Amino acid sequence: MERERTAPAPTRRRLLQGAALATVPYTLLSGTRAAARARAADYPSAEWLPASTSNYSRSSRPTAYPVDYVVVHVTQETYDDTLSIFRDPERQVSAHYVVRSSDGHVAQCVRETDIAWHAGNWDYNTRSIGIEHEGWVDRPEYFTNALYEQSARLTAAICTAYGIPKDRTHIIAHHEVPGSDHTDPGPFWDWTRYIRLVNFA
């Protein structure tokens, strides 16, 4: 019978090196996963581009407040300038999402669980998701097919997630918010087309 070979006794140095090597990948992996979660948007197609934490209120919706509305806005700024405004802590404004005119690209700036400052009415802010659309109320060329289609998909997903009816009573214009002094999305926004796209998304 062959004699059993024994491994040399591990030294303290080898034990410390092994422990260090064993923990490094876990630490890196945990950090990577945490960072990925922090960057992940609620809407899978959106890019996470967060607003300043000074420009919205933390919450735990829909537990703290029900989500009953989607509010449609027009930025009156370019897409990039809108994102810059939301990142500026002095501006005191934000929306959950911004949709780019040229290709319908969606950025998420505030978590859906949190309260964006977009409607100009605290009650409506607490109970709505705000979507900004790049453009100007008097320049319908900004309301491209891509913008309508991608925004409608986003709105449909929000309505499905929160049980919001996909109709004009619950998908409203910024100017329809009580107390609002805004006119967006303006007379060139095609509501018939938009609601149809939301329902077919």
Side-chain angles (χ1 to χ4, degrees):
M1 188 169 172
E2 194 175 348
R3 205 169 134 204
E4 187 176 340
R5 294 180 187 221
T6 56
T11 66
R12 183 173 186 273
R13 182 179 175 178
R14 282 184 188 270
L15 285 172
L16 290 173
Q17 285 175 335
L21 287 173
T23 59
V24 167
Y26 177 76
T27 303
L28 289 175
L29 184 59
S30 297
T32 302
R33 284 184 180 157
R37 277 196 304 272
R39 287 191 306 266
D42 294 318
Y43 181 62
S45 300
E47 179 181 11
W48 176 240
L49 296 171
S52 167
T53 56
S54 299
N55 293 340
Y56 63 91
S57 299
R58 297 263 187 205
S59 190
S60 58
R61 303 185 314 163
T63 304
Y65 301 94
V67 178
D68 299 323
Y69 300 102
V70 174
V71 180
V72 174
H73 301 264
V74 170
T75 60
Q76 298 296 107
E77 300 283 351
T78 66
Y79 173 85
D80 290 331
D81 285 349
T82 300
L83 296 175
S84 294
I85 289 167
F86 290 173
R87 286 191 296 263
D88 180 349
E90 302 297 318
R91 298 304 287 266
Q92 304 290 288
V93 66
S94 63
H96 294 91
Y97 294 97
V98 183
V99 183
R100 189 163 58 203
S101 172
S102 62
D103 58 2
H105 179 76
V106 177
Q108 183 173 5
C109 303
V110 177
R111 296 276 179 215
E112 291 178 7
T113 55
D114 294 329
I115 301 165
W117 300 346
H118 63 96
N121 175 315
W122 177 249
D123 182 50
Y124 274 73
N125 280 343
T126 63
R127 298 188 294 127
S128 65
I129 302 288
I131 304 175
E132 287 280 3
H133 298 83
E134 180 185 22
W136 283 262
V137 296
D138 58 350
R139 295 173 67 183
E141 65 270 21
Y142 274 89
F143 304 152
T144 62
N145 290 336
L147 179 135
Y148 274 118
E149 289 165 8
Q150 295 307 316
S151 175
R153 287 188 184 120
L154 170 60
T155 295
I158 292 166
C159 289
T160 298
Y162 297 99
I164 301 169
K166 298 174 183 175
D167 60 30
R168 281 288 284 120
T169 302
H170 298 87
I171 303 168
I172 63 172
H174 188 188
H175 73 83
E176 294 172 321
V177 173
S180 174
D181 60 356
H182 288 249
T183 62
D184 58 311
F188 297 110
W189 184 263
D190 189 340
W191 279 108
T192 302
R193 177 185 183 189
Y194 190 66
I195 297 298
R196 186 174 63 246
L197 286 169
V198 170
N199 279 278
F200 285 132

